Amino acid sequence: MTRKTKKTTSAETVRDNAAYAGARPVLSVLVPFLRDDPLALLEALDQEADIIGGAVEVVLLDDGSADGVLAARVDAGVARAKLPVRMVRLPENEGRARGRNRLAAHARADVFLFLDADMHPDNRRFLQAWLDVIALDDPAVAFGGFSLKHASRESAFAVHRAMAEKAECVPWFERARTPEKYVYTSNLLVRRDAFEAEAFDRDFAGWGWEDVEWGMRVARRFSVRHVDIPATHVGLDTVESLAAKYESSVGNFARVVSRHPEVVRGYPSYRAAQWLKKAPALPAWRPLLKQAALARLLPTAARAFSLRLYRAALYAEAV
């Protein structure tokens, strides 16, 4: 069973499972979640517990879900896990950047692996593969890659699937050409000294860009490697959900533009936003792009293109 070990700053509650105290981890897997259930990911990772011993710990952060049923289910799953697991729970949401900084503060290993709760390893040697990378090369930063191997094929998620296949499911050798661009905290290895030199910017709020901006900073000081240890983004979004995320990300995009203009100018999203900024009466017809993306009678490719244009039209406010 889990045991409550302490209450610390910001009213966080910390619980460790039975395997946690005696472990001496080489790798800390850091998983934030907000109302998502992280147990499928934890159970997938736990399948490797017997072969990696105590070399890997998992630290979960419930960033203000305020869901008693979910909390009880996760606590039970943490208690069952063979891997050493720490559960950190916050009463209120503090955001993606601050939450990941908090997770790093709880990590005991000198290497972190950031994983989102809606990810799923693509093979059963996922943790072992990352341990091999650490043992052979000890990179400061390494990204393992995305896939859609285990993702839903329901029609409700077809647009997101099409967009992810085009922009995110990129092989390692292509990612390596612009290493700072493909730095997502959904499958990201970071050495402690690199993270202490460049933590996530606490001033990012809402959705998106905090990991990409971090990648731009860290790439100036450390080498960013790209490897082939993919995980599936299981949690595909509907068009409605994606549009809402884009709408909440405008301020973050503006922050990246102001801090790294020389890098962002090369991004297609920036160039499209600049082009649309010149369009007359953009605020008046921008909603039509969203309506086209929502139109289920249109082909998926057309809806995905409309949603990308809608995102660029939103970002036109920031360029």
Side-chain angles (χ1 to χ4, degrees):
M1 61 185 293
T2 57
R3 58 183 179 85
K4 184 175 177 180
T5 58
K6 60 183 177 179
K7 251 190 178 181
T8 58
T9 59
S10 300
E12 69 174 19
T13 302
V14 180
R15 295 179 183 271
D16 302 333
N17 72 354
Y20 183 85
R24 298 295 179 266
V26 174
L27 175 64
S28 295
V29 179
L30 308 180
V31 183
F33 66 95
L34 176 62
R35 293 185 288 274
D36 290 323
D37 190 337
L39 286 186
L41 172 60
L42 179 60
E43 290 166 1
L45 297 176
D46 207 47
Q47 293 179 12
E48 297 188 60
D50 291 337
I51 63 172
I52 59 178
V56 177
E57 68 174 3
V58 178
V59 185
L60 302 172
L61 173 68
D62 183 345
D63 194 7
S65 296
D67 183 334
V69 174
L70 175 61
R73 188 163 62 246
V74 173
D75 281 348
V78 168
R80 291 193 302 269
K82 297 178 183 179
L83 288 171
V85 184
R86 165 164 284 188
M87 178 71 234
V88 183
R89 185 165 287 116
L90 298 178
E92 297 179 356
N93 177 256
E94 68 177 2
R96 293 157 57 95
R98 294 186 183 194
R100 290 187 174 95
N101 288 344
R102 184 182 292 270
L103 278 166
H106 280 276
R108 294 180 293 177
D110 286 331
V111 186
F112 313 147
L113 177 63
F114 289 98
L115 276 176
D116 283 347
D118 60 357
M119 300 296 288
H120 190 286
D122 277 7
N123 64 71
R124 296 188 177 183
R125 293 189 72 259
F126 180 77
L127 293 177
Q128 185 60 59
W130 277 120
L131 289 172
D132 291 344
V133 168
I134 295 168
L136 292 172
D137 297 322
D138 192 26
V141 181
F143 181 62
F146 276 141
S147 89
L148 295 174
K149 180 178 179 180
H150 302 287
S152 171
R153 291 192 173 274
E154 292 182 35
S155 59
F157 309 117
V159 171
H160 193 182
R161 171 178 279 276
M163 295 176 70
E165 287 175 341
K166 181 178 179 64
E168 296 175 356
C169 299
V170 180
W172 70 268
F173 50 88
E174 290 187 18
R175 288 186 263 119
R177 294 170 186 163
T178 51
E180 81 290 336
K181 181 178 179 180
Y182 297 99
V183 176
Y184 307 122
T185 47
S186 46
N187 187 12
L188 180 69
L189 191 81
V190 186
R191 210 168 57 209
R192 180 181 292 275
D193 62 305
F195 193 83
E196 290 178 346
E198 296 288 351
F200 290 103
D201 184 343
R202 292 168 54 90
D203 292 331
F204 275 85
W207 181 85
W209 292 97
E210 78 285 341
D211 47 3
V212 176
E213 190 277 334
W214 178 85
M216 294 174 185
R217 281 187 283 120
V218 80
R220 293 170 178 166
R221 304 179 62 175
F222 299 92
S223 175
V224 177
R225 281 200 57 198
H226 285 273
V227 296
D228 187 24
I229 311 177
T232 294
H233 181 197
V234 178
L236 294 178
D237 289 307
T238 63
V239 172
E240 293 89 341
S241 179
L242 272 180
K245 287 180 175 180
Y246 295 155
E247 289 158 4
S248 73
S249 73
V250 175
N252 286 354
F253 181 72
R255 188 171 181 81
V256 176
V257 171
S258 67
R259 297 189 67 178
H260 308 279
E262 73 289 349
V263 179
V264 182
R265 286 192 191 105
Y267 286 13
S269 55
Y270 179 88
R271 293 196 298 267
Q274 274 200 319
W275 178 72
L276 287 171
K277 187 179 181 70
K278 302 173 185 177
L282 176 61
W285 57 263
R286 181 169 54 204
L288 298 177
L289 296 171
K290 182 177 179 179
Q291 290 177 23
L294 290 167
R296 297 182 181 276
L297 294 179
L298 290 178
T300 297
R303 297 175 68 196
F305 179 70
S306 297
L307 190 55
R308 286 194 296 271
L309 277 183
Y310 178 63
R311 179 180 57 193
L314 290 167
Y315 289 174
E317 298 175 3
V319 300

Short mmCIF file of all heavy atoms in Angstrom, two decimals, residues 234-275:
data_model
loop_
_atom_site.label_atom_id
_atom_site.label_comp_id
_atom_site.label_asym_id
_atom_site.label_seq_id
_atom_site.Cartn_x
_atom_site.Cartn_y
_atom_site.Cartn_z
N VAL A 234 -1.31 8.52 -27.48
CA VAL A 234 -2.61 7.85 -27.47
C VAL A 234 -3.74 8.87 -27.41
O VAL A 234 -4.81 8.68 -27.99
CB VAL A 234 -2.70 6.87 -26.28
CG1 VAL A 234 -4.07 6.20 -26.25
CG2 VAL A 234 -1.60 5.82 -26.38
N GLY A 235 -3.52 9.96 -26.70
CA GLY A 235 -4.59 10.92 -26.44
C GLY A 235 -4.84 11.90 -27.56
O GLY A 235 -4.68 13.12 -27.38
N LEU A 236 -5.24 11.42 -28.73
CA LEU A 236 -5.58 12.32 -29.83
C LEU A 236 -6.79 13.17 -29.46
O LEU A 236 -7.65 12.75 -28.69
CB LEU A 236 -5.87 11.51 -31.10
CG LEU A 236 -4.67 10.75 -31.70
CD1 LEU A 236 -5.13 9.97 -32.93
CD2 LEU A 236 -3.53 11.68 -32.07
N ASP A 237 -6.84 14.36 -30.03
CA ASP A 237 -7.90 15.32 -29.72
C ASP A 237 -8.91 15.42 -30.85
O ASP A 237 -8.58 15.19 -32.03
CB ASP A 237 -7.32 16.70 -29.47
CG ASP A 237 -6.56 16.79 -28.16
OD1 ASP A 237 -7.14 16.43 -27.12
OD2 ASP A 237 -5.39 17.21 -28.17
N THR A 238 -10.10 15.83 -30.50
CA THR A 238 -11.08 16.22 -31.51
C THR A 238 -10.70 17.59 -32.07
O THR A 238 -9.85 18.30 -31.51
CB THR A 238 -12.48 16.32 -30.90
OG1 THR A 238 -12.47 17.35 -29.89
CG2 THR A 238 -12.91 14.99 -30.27
N VAL A 239 -11.32 17.98 -33.16
CA VAL A 239 -11.06 19.30 -33.73
C VAL A 239 -11.42 20.40 -32.73
O VAL A 239 -10.69 21.39 -32.57
CB VAL A 239 -11.84 19.50 -35.04
CG1 VAL A 239 -11.73 20.93 -35.53
CG2 VAL A 239 -11.31 18.54 -36.11
N GLU A 240 -12.53 20.22 -32.03
CA GLU A 240 -12.95 21.22 -31.05
C GLU A 240 -11.89 21.42 -29.98
O GLU A 240 -11.56 22.56 -29.62
CB GLU A 240 -14.27 20.79 -30.40
CG GLU A 240 -15.47 20.79 -31.34
CD GLU A 240 -15.66 19.45 -32.05
OE1 GLU A 240 -14.68 18.66 -32.11
OE2 GLU A 240 -16.76 19.20 -32.56
N SER A 241 -11.34 20.31 -29.49
CA SER A 241 -10.33 20.39 -28.44
C SER A 241 -9.03 21.01 -28.96
O SER A 241 -8.41 21.84 -28.28
CB SER A 241 -10.07 18.99 -27.88
OG SER A 241 -9.08 19.03 -26.87
N LEU A 242 -8.62 20.61 -30.15
CA LEU A 242 -7.40 21.19 -30.73
C LEU A 242 -7.55 22.69 -30.95
O LEU A 242 -6.64 23.47 -30.64
CB LEU A 242 -7.08 20.51 -32.06
CG LEU A 242 -6.23 19.26 -32.04
CD1 LEU A 242 -6.03 18.74 -33.46
CD2 LEU A 242 -4.89 19.50 -31.38
N ALA A 243 -8.70 23.10 -31.48
CA ALA A 243 -8.93 24.53 -31.71
C ALA A 243 -8.85 25.31 -30.40
O ALA A 243 -8.26 26.41 -30.35
CB ALA A 243 -10.28 24.75 -32.38
N ALA A 244 -9.41 24.76 -29.34
CA ALA A 244 -9.36 25.43 -28.04
C ALA A 244 -7.93 25.54 -27.54
O ALA A 244 -7.53 26.57 -26.96
CB ALA A 244 -10.22 24.67 -27.03
N LYS A 245 -7.12 24.50 -27.76
CA LYS A 245 -5.72 24.57 -27.35
C LYS A 245 -4.97 25.64 -28.15
O LYS A 245 -4.18 26.40 -27.58
CB LYS A 245 -5.06 23.20 -27.55
CG LYS A 245 -5.50 22.16 -26.53
CD LYS A 245 -4.81 20.83 -26.77
CE LYS A 245 -5.16 19.83 -25.67
NZ LYS A 245 -4.51 18.51 -25.88
N TYR A 246 -5.22 25.70 -29.44
CA TYR A 246 -4.56 26.73 -30.26
C TYR A 246 -4.96 28.13 -29.79
O TYR A 246 -4.12 29.04 -29.73
CB TYR A 246 -4.93 26.56 -31.73
CG TYR A 246 -4.42 25.28 -32.35
CD1 TYR A 246 -5.06 24.71 -33.46
CD2 TYR A 246 -3.32 24.60 -31.83
CE1 TYR A 246 -4.60 23.55 -34.04
CE2 TYR A 246 -2.87 23.43 -32.40
CZ TYR A 246 -3.51 22.90 -33.50
OH TYR A 246 -3.07 21.74 -34.07
N GLU A 247 -6.22 28.29 -29.45
CA GLU A 247 -6.69 29.60 -28.99
C GLU A 247 -6.02 30.02 -27.69
O GLU A 247 -5.76 31.21 -27.47
CB GLU A 247 -8.22 29.55 -28.82
CG GLU A 247 -8.97 29.49 -30.14
CD GLU A 247 -10.38 28.92 -30.03
OE1 GLU A 247 -10.81 28.62 -28.90
OE2 GLU A 247 -11.03 28.73 -31.08
N SER A 248 -5.72 29.04 -26.83
CA SER A 248 -5.07 29.36 -25.56
C SER A 248 -3.56 29.47 -25.68
O SER A 248 -2.89 29.83 -24.71
CB SER A 248 -5.41 28.28 -24.51
OG SER A 248 -4.72 27.08 -24.78
N SER A 249 -3.00 29.17 -26.85
CA SER A 249 -1.55 29.16 -27.02
C SER A 249 -0.98 30.42 -27.66
O SER A 249 0.23 30.54 -27.81
CB SER A 249 -1.13 27.95 -27.87
OG SER A 249 -1.48 28.13 -29.23
N VAL A 250 -1.84 31.37 -28.03
CA VAL A 250 -1.37 32.56 -28.75
C VAL A 250 -0.35 33.35 -27.93
O VAL A 250 0.70 33.78 -28.43
CB VAL A 250 -2.55 33.46 -29.15
CG1 VAL A 250 -2.04 34.75 -29.80
CG2 VAL A 250 -3.48 32.72 -30.10
N GLY A 251 -0.64 33.54 -26.65
CA GLY A 251 0.29 34.27 -25.79
C GLY A 251 1.62 33.58 -25.67
O GLY A 251 2.68 34.24 -25.65
N ASN A 252 1.62 32.24 -25.60
CA ASN A 252 2.87 31.50 -25.53
C ASN A 252 3.67 31.62 -26.82
O ASN A 252 4.89 31.74 -26.81
CB ASN A 252 2.59 30.03 -25.23
CG ASN A 252 2.17 29.80 -23.79
OD1 ASN A 252 2.20 30.72 -22.97
ND2 ASN A 252 1.77 28.59 -23.48
N PHE A 253 2.97 31.57 -27.96
CA PHE A 253 3.64 31.74 -29.24
C PHE A 253 4.28 33.13 -29.32
O PHE A 253 5.42 33.27 -29.77
CB PHE A 253 2.67 31.53 -30.40
CG PHE A 253 3.30 31.66 -31.76
CD1 PHE A 253 4.14 30.69 -32.24
CD2 PHE A 253 3.05 32.77 -32.56
CE1 PHE A 253 4.73 30.80 -33.50
CE2 PHE A 253 3.62 32.90 -33.80
CZ PHE A 253 4.47 31.91 -34.28
N ALA A 254 3.56 34.14 -28.86
CA ALA A 254 4.11 35.50 -28.86
C ALA A 254 5.35 35.58 -28.00
O ALA A 254 6.32 36.29 -28.35
CB ALA A 254 3.05 36.48 -28.37
N ARG A 255 5.36 34.88 -26.89
CA ARG A 255 6.53 34.88 -26.00
C ARG A 255 7.73 34.26 -26.70
O ARG A 255 8.86 34.75 -26.59
CB ARG A 255 6.19 34.13 -24.71
CG ARG A 255 7.26 34.22 -23.64
CD ARG A 255 6.76 33.64 -22.32
NE ARG A 255 7.75 33.73 -21.28
CZ ARG A 255 7.99 34.84 -20.57
NH1 ARG A 255 7.27 35.92 -20.79
NH2 ARG A 255 8.93 34.86 -19.64
N VAL A 256 7.51 33.18 -27.44
CA VAL A 256 8.61 32.53 -28.17
C VAL A 256 9.12 33.45 -29.27
O VAL A 256 10.34 33.59 -29.47
CB VAL A 256 8.14 31.19 -28.76
CG1 VAL A 256 9.25 30.56 -29.60
CG2 VAL A 256 7.73 30.23 -27.66
N VAL A 257 8.21 34.11 -29.99
CA VAL A 257 8.62 35.03 -31.06
C VAL A 257 9.48 36.15 -30.50
O VAL A 257 10.51 36.53 -31.08
CB VAL A 257 7.38 35.60 -31.78
CG1 VAL A 257 7.79 36.73 -32.73
CG2 VAL A 257 6.66 34.50 -32.54
N SER A 258 9.10 36.70 -29.35
CA SER A 258 9.85 37.82 -28.78
C SER A 258 11.21 37.41 -28.27
O SER A 258 12.16 38.19 -28.32
CB SER A 258 9.04 38.46 -27.64
OG SER A 258 8.92 37.59 -26.54
N ARG A 259 11.34 36.14 -27.82
CA ARG A 259 12.60 35.69 -27.23
C ARG A 259 13.53 35.06 -28.24
O ARG A 259 14.75 35.09 -28.06
CB ARG A 259 12.32 34.71 -26.10
CG ARG A 259 11.54 35.31 -24.93
CD ARG A 259 11.48 34.37 -23.75
NE ARG A 259 12.80 34.18 -23.17
CZ ARG A 259 13.04 33.43 -22.08
NH1 ARG A 259 12.03 32.82 -21.49
NH2 ARG A 259 14.25 33.29 -21.62
N HIS A 260 12.98 34.45 -29.31
CA HIS A 260 13.81 33.72 -30.26
C HIS A 260 13.39 34.04 -31.70
O HIS A 260 13.09 33.12 -32.48
CB HIS A 260 13.69 32.22 -30.01
CG HIS A 260 13.95 31.80 -28.60
ND1 HIS A 260 15.22 31.65 -28.08
CD2 HIS A 260 13.08 31.53 -27.58
CE1 HIS A 260 15.13 31.28 -26.80
NE2 HIS A 260 13.84 31.21 -26.49
N PRO A 261 13.37 35.31 -32.07
CA PRO A 261 12.87 35.65 -33.42
C PRO A 261 13.68 35.02 -34.54
O PRO A 261 13.12 34.62 -35.57
CB PRO A 261 12.97 37.18 -33.44
CG PRO A 261 13.98 37.51 -32.40
CD PRO A 261 13.80 36.48 -31.34
N GLU A 262 14.98 34.88 -34.33
CA GLU A 262 15.83 34.35 -35.39
C GLU A 262 15.55 32.88 -35.67
O GLU A 262 15.75 32.40 -36.80
CB GLU A 262 17.31 34.53 -35.02
CG GLU A 262 17.85 33.63 -33.93
CD GLU A 262 17.32 33.95 -32.53
OE1 GLU A 262 16.70 35.00 -32.34
OE2 GLU A 262 17.55 33.13 -31.61
N VAL A 263 15.08 32.16 -34.68
CA VAL A 263 14.74 30.74 -34.86
C VAL A 263 13.33 30.59 -35.42
O VAL A 263 13.10 29.86 -36.39
CB VAL A 263 14.87 29.98 -33.53
CG1 VAL A 263 14.49 28.51 -33.73
CG2 VAL A 263 16.28 30.08 -32.98
N VAL A 264 12.39 31.32 -34.83
CA VAL A 264 10.98 31.15 -35.19
C VAL A 264 10.71 31.59 -36.62
O VAL A 264 9.80 31.07 -37.27
CB VAL A 264 10.08 31.93 -34.20
CG1 VAL A 264 8.61 31.72 -34.53
CG2 VAL A 264 10.35 31.48 -32.78
N ARG A 265 11.48 32.53 -37.12
CA ARG A 265 11.25 33.01 -38.50
C ARG A 265 11.34 31.89 -39.53
O ARG A 265 10.78 32.00 -40.62
CB ARG A 265 12.28 34.09 -38.85
CG ARG A 265 12.00 35.44 -38.19
CD ARG A 265 12.87 36.53 -38.79
NE ARG A 265 12.80 37.75 -38.01
CZ ARG A 265 13.77 38.19 -37.20
NH1 ARG A 265 14.90 37.50 -37.10
NH2 ARG A 265 13.63 39.30 -36.51
N GLY A 266 12.04 30.83 -39.20
CA GLY A 266 12.16 29.72 -40.14
C GLY A 266 11.03 28.71 -40.05
O GLY A 266 10.96 27.79 -40.87
N TYR A 267 10.11 28.88 -39.10
CA TYR A 267 9.03 27.93 -38.91
C TYR A 267 7.88 28.21 -39.89
O TYR A 267 7.49 29.36 -40.08
CB TYR A 267 8.49 28.01 -37.49
CG TYR A 267 9.37 27.40 -36.43
CD1 TYR A 267 10.69 27.06 -36.70
CD2 TYR A 267 8.88 27.17 -35.16
CE1 TYR A 267 11.49 26.50 -35.73
CE2 TYR A 267 9.68 26.61 -34.17
CZ TYR A 267 11.00 26.28 -34.47
OH TYR A 267 11.78 25.72 -33.50
N PRO A 268 7.30 27.18 -40.49
CA PRO A 268 6.16 27.39 -41.38
C PRO A 268 5.00 28.11 -40.69
O PRO A 268 4.31 28.91 -41.32
CB PRO A 268 5.77 25.97 -41.79
CG PRO A 268 7.02 25.18 -41.65
CD PRO A 268 7.74 25.77 -40.48
N SER A 269 4.77 27.83 -39.41
CA SER A 269 3.68 28.48 -38.69
C SER A 269 3.89 29.98 -38.59
O SER A 269 2.93 30.76 -38.68
CB SER A 269 3.53 27.88 -37.28
OG SER A 269 4.75 27.95 -36.58
N TYR A 270 5.13 30.40 -38.46
CA TYR A 270 5.44 31.83 -38.39
C TYR A 270 5.24 32.48 -39.76
O TYR A 270 4.64 33.55 -39.87
CB TYR A 270 6.87 32.04 -37.91
CG TYR A 270 7.29 33.49 -37.83
CD1 TYR A 270 7.06 34.24 -36.68
CD2 TYR A 270 7.92 34.12 -38.90
CE1 TYR A 270 7.44 35.57 -36.59
CE2 TYR A 270 8.30 35.45 -38.83
CZ TYR A 270 8.06 36.16 -37.67
OH TYR A 270 8.43 37.49 -37.60
N ARG A 271 5.74 31.82 -40.80
CA ARG A 271 5.61 32.39 -42.15
C ARG A 271 4.15 32.48 -42.56
O ARG A 271 3.73 33.47 -43.17
CB ARG A 271 6.42 31.55 -43.14
CG ARG A 271 7.93 31.61 -42.92
CD ARG A 271 8.69 31.09 -44.12
NE ARG A 271 8.40 29.69 -44.39
CZ ARG A 271 9.11 28.68 -43.92
NH1 ARG A 271 10.15 28.92 -43.12
NH2 ARG A 271 8.80 27.44 -44.22
N ALA A 272 3.36 31.45 -42.22
CA ALA A 272 1.94 31.49 -42.55
C ALA A 272 1.23 32.60 -41.77
O ALA A 272 0.36 33.30 -42.32
CB ALA A 272 1.30 30.14 -42.24
N ALA A 273 1.61 32.79 -40.52
CA ALA A 273 1.00 33.85 -39.71
C ALA A 273 1.33 35.22 -40.28
O ALA A 273 0.47 36.11 -40.33
CB ALA A 273 1.48 33.74 -38.27
N GLN A 274 2.56 35.40 -40.73
CA GLN A 274 2.94 36.68 -41.34
C GLN A 274 2.15 36.94 -42.61
O GLN A 274 1.71 38.08 -42.87
CB GLN A 274 4.45 36.67 -41.65
CG GLN A 274 5.33 37.11 -40.51
CD GLN A 274 6.68 37.53 -41.01
OE1 GLN A 274 7.26 36.92 -41.90
NE2 GLN A 274 7.21 38.61 -40.44
N TRP A 275 1.96 35.91 -43.41
CA TRP A 275 1.22 36.05 -44.65
C TRP A 275 -0.23 36.42 -44.37
O TRP A 275 -0.80 37.32 -44.99
CB TRP A 275 1.31 34.75 -45.45
CG TRP A 275 0.56 34.75 -46.72
CD1 TRP A 275 0.87 35.41 -47.88
CD2 TRP A 275 -0.66 34.04 -46.99
NE1 TRP A 275 -0.08 35.16 -48.84
CE2 TRP A 275 -1.02 34.33 -48.33
CE3 TRP A 275 -1.46 33.19 -46.23
CZ2 TRP A 275 -2.17 33.79 -48.91
CZ3 TRP A 275 -2.59 32.65 -46.80
CH2 TRP A 275 -2.93 32.95 -48.12
#
